[in-house]
């Protein structure tokens, strides 16, 4: 578990980066810094030797040696000027290169102790005579103290940086831990969980997205509960009537001459259950996204006429007048699915029309495409109810009267079918005046006028 911890990964990554950076910078700095310092220091030593009193050169050599500098001064024949042990090996080629050069000659010198380090040769003038000065720097001794200080500083940087990154990683990881906990709570069914965060970075965006997701899931869960409750109510109501009337008939509580009336009620309730079952199955099929979609070209005006004729028994009972204004238009759509749309819209118009009223159905082409409007002159719909018309099991019985038969699924099916076709539907209604449902078919869907 520790190996996979985000804390450990962040801290380990930081320490790894710091170590690599320190090592790289150390070697690069040591190489270039030492090279430059060798040039500067040896140049200063050469200037001092050239300005010093010749009699004090032995004493100066001893002083420089105490500071980890060894010098040799030789003439062109290779004879040392100072009576001293030769601290490092000088070849004739080294002497010649110094006398042939006007400035500093960087070189690698081998000390008789076995050390090999950077040094330099200079042509200097002592007592008006040219000499070759060789300066050997014992860089290991010279840099030992500096390196110790640098190493201690780097270790402190590593420790302090690791502590700070550990604290910073807690600040970064804590929101993720809260997200993990919240996700586990949602998995348990607690959809009300939310995370508070003031972050404006990517983590803040992730938390905002999680809260939005939780809100949507909570809405879906509420819709599911409402759906189950509505289905249970829609099923329980007719079952209660059927059970009560059948028991009354069985127990001979109802006189024989009145039994037909109650049998008609039982038949009506079973028909209501059947329609509810069909609508639920149809919605489940449409929701599954595997419902067959078979678009074909056909005459839309003829389909609407057939639907009006199919509902004739219903509108004749209510003595309604049906007014049709249908332009001859062909569309490319699933004929069976759209037939359900017109059937539901016309049936609703019939239900909510006043006795001996009228229904106006119009099919025409406009700038935005083909529109089909179904208008009734009934009681209308309240403004508060219009946004919920296409919700499942939503009824406006309180606004229109509880005598209206239906299960609140018809307009949900309409909305779903139109969504599959990428068509839109709008509702215009005014209480006491009537309602108009307008379906718009975009021009891009291959609609054509028929001559």
């Amino acid at each position: 578990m520790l190996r996979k911890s985000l804390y450990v990964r962040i801290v380990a990554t930081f320490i790894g980066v710091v170590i690599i950076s320190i090592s790289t910078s150390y070697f690069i700095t040591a190489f270039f810094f030492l090279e430059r310092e060798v040039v500067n220091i040896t140049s200063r030593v050469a200037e001092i030797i050239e300005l010093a009193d010749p009699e004090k050169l032995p004493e100066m050599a001893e002083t420089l040696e105490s500071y980890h500098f060894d010098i040799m001064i030789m003439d062109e024949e290779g004879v040392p000027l100072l009576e001293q042990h030769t601290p490092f090996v000088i070849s004739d080629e080294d002497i010649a290169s110094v006398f042939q050069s006007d400035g500093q000659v960087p070189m690698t010198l081998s000390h008789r102790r076995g050390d090999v380090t950077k040094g330099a040769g200079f042509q200097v003038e002592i007592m008006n005579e040219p000499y070759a000065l060789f300066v050997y720097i014992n860089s290991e001794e010279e840099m030992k103290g500096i390196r110790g200080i640098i190493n201690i500083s780097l270790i402190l940087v590593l420790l302090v940086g690791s502590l700070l990154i550990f604290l910073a990683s807690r600040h970064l990881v804590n929101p993720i831990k809260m997200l993990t906990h919240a996700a586990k709570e949602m998995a348990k069914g607690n959809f009300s969980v939310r995370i508070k965060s003031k972050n404006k970075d990517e983590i803040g965006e992730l938390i905002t997205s999680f809260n939005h997701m939780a809100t949507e899931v909570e809405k879906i869960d509420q819709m599911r509960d409402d759906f189950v409750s509505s289905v249970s109510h829609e099923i329980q109501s007719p079952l209660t009537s059927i059970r009560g009337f059948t028991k009354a008939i069985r127990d001979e509580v109802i006189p024989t001459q009145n039994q037909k009336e109650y049998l008609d009620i039982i038949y009506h309730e079973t028909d209501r259950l059947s329609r509810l079952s069909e609508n639920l199955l149809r919605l489940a099929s449409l929701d599954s996204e595997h419902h067959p979609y078979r678009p074909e070209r056909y005459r839309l005006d003829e389909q609407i006429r057939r639907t009006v004729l199919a509902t004739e028994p219903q509108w004749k009972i209510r003595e309604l007048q049906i007014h049709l204004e249908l332009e001859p238009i062909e569309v490319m759509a699933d004929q069976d699915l759209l037939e359900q749309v017109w059937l539901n819209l016309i049936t609703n118009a019939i239900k909510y029309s006043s006795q001996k009223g009228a229904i106006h159905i119009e099919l025409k082409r406009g700038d935005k495409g083909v529109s089909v409007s179904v208008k009734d002159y009934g009681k209308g719909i309240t403004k508060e109810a219009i946004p919920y018309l296409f919700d499942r099991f939503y009824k406006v019985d309180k606004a229109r009267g509880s005598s209206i038969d239906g299960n609140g699924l018809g307009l949900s099916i309409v909305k779903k079918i139109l969504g599959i076709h990428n068509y839109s539907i709008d509702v215009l209604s005014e209480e006491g005046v009537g309602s108009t449902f307008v379906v718009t078919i975009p021009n891009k869907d291959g609609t054509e006028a028929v001559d």
Side-chain angles (χ1 to χ4, degrees):
M1 185 65 182
L2 184 63
R3 182 174 61 86
K4 297 182 179 179
S5 171
L6 192 57
Y7 287 131
V8 175
R9 290 173 59 188
I10 293 176
V11 174
T13 302
F14 170 79
I15 293 175
V17 170
V18 168
I19 291 175
I20 293 173
S21 302
I22 288 175
S23 302
T24 304
S25 61
Y26 180 83
F27 287 112
I28 292 175
T29 303
F31 179 78
F32 289 103
F33 174 78
L34 183 59
E35 187 79 24
R36 189 175 62 210
E37 287 303 306
V38 167
V39 172
N40 294 334
I41 293 173
T42 55
S43 297
R44 300 294 182 273
V45 171
E47 291 175 2
I48 293 172
I49 293 297
E50 200 167 22
L51 295 173
D53 187 350
E55 296 180 357
K56 294 184 178 180
L57 287 178
E59 183 181 349
M60 185 175 293
E62 292 179 2
T63 303
L64 289 172
E65 186 177 358
S66 66
Y67 287 101
H68 312 296
F69 291 91
D70 287 326
I71 64 171
M72 287 183 65
I73 304 174
M74 308 181 76
D75 60 15
E76 291 187 26
E77 302 299 326
V79 178
L81 176 64
L82 302 177
E83 294 181 2
Q84 65 183 89
H85 69 282
T86 54
F88 43 84
V89 180
I90 301 295
S91 66
D92 294 338
E93 290 78 5
D94 293 334
I95 296 173
S97 64
V98 170
F99 279 104
Q100 293 171 3
S101 174
D102 294 332
Q104 184 189 64
V105 181
M107 57 183 64
T108 301
L109 299 175
S110 299
H111 201 281
R112 293 193 181 279
R113 295 192 305 265
D115 301 335
V116 177
T117 188
K118 296 289 183 180
F122 299 87
Q123 183 177 340
V124 296
E125 188 174 313
I126 300 174
M127 295 180 296
N128 298 322
E129 295 290 334
Y131 286 91
L133 170 66
F134 296 94
V135 182
Y136 174 97
I137 302 176
N138 188 346
S139 59
E140 290 296 324
E141 293 295 331
E142 182 70 20
M143 299 297 293
K144 186 179 295 183
I146 298 176
R147 285 174 178 165
I149 295 174
I150 292 175
N151 290 336
I152 292 174
S153 300
L154 294 179
I155 290 173
L156 288 175
V157 169
L158 182 61
L159 293 177
V160 174
S162 299
L163 177 61
L164 293 177
I165 196 63
F166 179 77
L167 297 175
S169 66
R170 288 179 62 87
H171 175 71
L172 293 173
V173 173
N174 279 341
I176 299 177
K177 292 180 69 175
M178 290 191 295
L179 279 170
T180 303
H181 176 72
K184 291 179 179 179
E185 287 295 313
M186 286 190 65
K188 295 177 183 178
N190 180 14
F191 301 121
S192 62
V193 62
R194 298 292 185 274
I195 302 174
K196 295 181 179 179
S197 175
K198 297 180 180 179
N199 293 341
K200 302 298 182 181
D201 53 11
E202 289 80 358
I203 297 294
E205 292 180 3
L206 179 61
I207 291 175
T208 301
S209 298
F210 177 86
N211 289 337
H212 177 70
M213 179 193 69
T215 301
E216 295 301 315
V217 172
E218 187 176 25
K219 289 180 181 178
I220 293 173
D221 184 63
Q222 184 61 45
M223 288 173 60
R224 184 200 62 178
D225 292 342
D226 293 342
F227 179 81
V228 172
S229 176
S230 299
V231 171
S232 300
H233 174 75
E234 290 293 330
I235 292 177
Q236 187 63 36
S237 179
L239 285 178
T240 300
S241 299
I242 293 171
R243 183 168 56 247
F245 289 129
T246 53
K247 185 177 185 301
I249 294 173
R250 186 195 62 184
D251 295 342
E252 298 181 352
V253 174
I254 300 173
T256 304
Q257 63 273 18
N258 295 332
Q259 287 184 2
K260 183 179 182 303
E261 177 184 352
Y262 289 96
L263 288 173
D264 289 338
I265 296 175
I266 293 173
Y267 176 82
H268 175 78
E269 294 298 323
T270 55
D271 183 60
R272 178 179 166 189
L273 280 174
S274 177
R275 282 186 282 110
L276 174 63
S277 175
E278 289 176 2
N279 287 336
L280 287 173
L281 289 174
R282 186 174 292 111
L283 270 176
S285 177
L286 293 171
D287 286 338
S288 68
E289 298 183 358
H290 297 294
H291 188 85
Y293 175 64
R294 303 184 182 91
E296 58 181 310
R297 186 168 295 283
Y298 69 93
R299 287 277 296 272
L300 182 58
D301 55 309
E302 292 181 357
Q303 183 185 47
I304 294 176
R305 283 192 183 91
R306 289 195 302 269
T307 307
V308 171
L309 289 175
T311 59
E312 183 177 1
Q314 301 175 40
W315 50 265
K316 272 198 170 182
I317 291 176
R318 300 180 64 83
E319 302 181 55
L320 301 176
Q321 296 292 323
I322 308 294
H323 300 284
L324 301 178
E325 292 185 23
L326 308 176
E327 293 184 16
I329 293 175
E330 284 188 348
V331 295
M332 190 70 180
D334 189 310
Q335 190 169 178
D336 292 337
L337 289 179
L338 278 192
E339 187 172 345
Q340 291 295 319
V341 171
W342 315 132
L343 183 62
N344 276 310
L345 293 180
I346 294 173
T347 301
N348 272 357
I350 293 171
K351 287 180 182 177
Y352 300 122
S353 291
S354 303
Q355 188 73 20
K356 297 183 179 181
I359 296 175
H360 190 89
I361 303 174
E362 183 179 30
L363 168 63
K364 65 178 181 179
R365 180 180 296 278
D367 295 335
K368 296 182 179 180
V370 172
S371 64
V372 180
S373 61
V374 180
K375 182 177 183 179
D376 67 67
Y377 298 90
K379 296 180 179 180
I381 307 169
T382 62
K383 292 182 179 180
E384 295 78 11
I386 290 178
Y388 306 101
L389 281 179
F390 299 98
D391 291 351
R392 298 178 185 187
F393 293 105
Y394 183 80
K395 297 180 181 180
V396 288
D397 289 348
K398 292 181 180 180
R400 291 184 166 185
S402 58
S403 61
I404 302 297
D405 185 26
N407 49 46
L409 293 176
L411 290 179
S412 299
I413 294 173
V414 167
K415 186 73 172 180
K416 191 70 180 179
I417 293 174
L418 293 177
I420 292 174
H421 286 80
N422 292 319
Y423 298 169
S424 62
I425 184 169
D426 298 296
V427 183
L428 305 172
S429 186
E430 184 178 350
E431 287 188 270
V433 177
S435 304
T436 303
F437 288 79
V438 181
V439 176
T440 302
I441 303 173
N443 285 324
K444 62 180 181 180
D445 282 359
T447 59
E448 293 183 2
V450 179
D451 296 333

